[in-house]
Amino acid sequence: MPENIKILHVLPSGTRQYNMHGWIAHRDEFCVGHIHMKLEANKRIKFLDAWVHEDHRKQGIFRKLWDTRWRYVNENFKGYTTYAWAKPMSLPLLLEKGFKAGDSSVYVEMDVEGCKPSGPQCFVSC
């Protein structure tokens, strides 16, 4: 990773409703990457999205962000379980770190078009 890129830890806002930590990789006050995690009930931590700016990829920034987050988790959350929904590009690193692959998921989407009822329609009179 280039020496001029630094990582900043963004602490949770303090509300219990959404307890998220983030790490920002930046150069000259410009964000070049980020990674997040969310603390959940029952001593679980969900590893959330990570992103590196396309002009800064293949320089070790993603790995540095991941390692920084992992070090923080190991120092502060012993006994917790971590999990993630991994994209194909991220899966090799997670497997390398000792995560076990579970079932696959497929992304789906649909536009919201208002209140159109689904299924057969029939008139009901009261």
Side-chain angles (χ1 to χ4, degrees):
M1 185 173 88
E3 291 182 23
N4 61 347
I5 294 182
K6 297 184 179 9
I7 296 181
L8 170 72
H9 182 188
V10 180
L11 295 170
S13 64
T15 63
R16 292 281 182 212
Q17 184 178 15
Y18 197 65
N19 202 348
M20 189 171 79
H21 289 257
W23 287 263
I24 309 290
H26 62 94
R27 186 185 75 196
D28 301 326
E29 299 183 24
F30 177 76
C31 175
V32 297
H34 58 73
I35 199 166
H36 302 277
M37 71 178 208
K38 180 180 173 189
L39 299 177
E40 297 183 338
N42 302 317
K43 297 179 93 172
R44 292 178 59 83
I45 299 173
K46 182 178 184 180
F47 283 0
L48 300 171
D49 63 331
W51 166 84
V52 175
H53 188 281
E54 62 186 20
D55 293 345
H56 298 276
R57 293 183 184 157
K58 304 291 185 195
Q59 297 178 34
I61 296 169
F62 172 73
R63 183 173 291 271
K64 180 67 173 176
L65 285 164
W66 202 99
D67 289 344
T68 300
R69 176 181 64 185
W70 188 241
R71 185 174 48 255
Y72 180 80
V73 166
N74 278 279
E75 291 171 357
N76 295 281
F77 298 101
K78 185 176 180 182
Y80 280 62
T81 299
T82 56
Y83 73 98
W85 295 98
K87 294 180 180 175
M89 287 177 52
S90 303
L91 186 58
L93 177 62
L94 291 166
L95 294 175
E96 173 190 314
K97 297 295 184 178
F99 282 74
K100 295 179 182 84
D103 292 332
S104 295
S105 295
V106 175
Y107 172 78
V108 295
E109 73 175 32
M110 181 173 74
D111 292 335
V112 177
E113 297 179 5
C115 294
K116 290 197 313 190
S118 60
Q121 307 301 310
C122 75
F123 175 75
V124 177
S125 173
C126 296

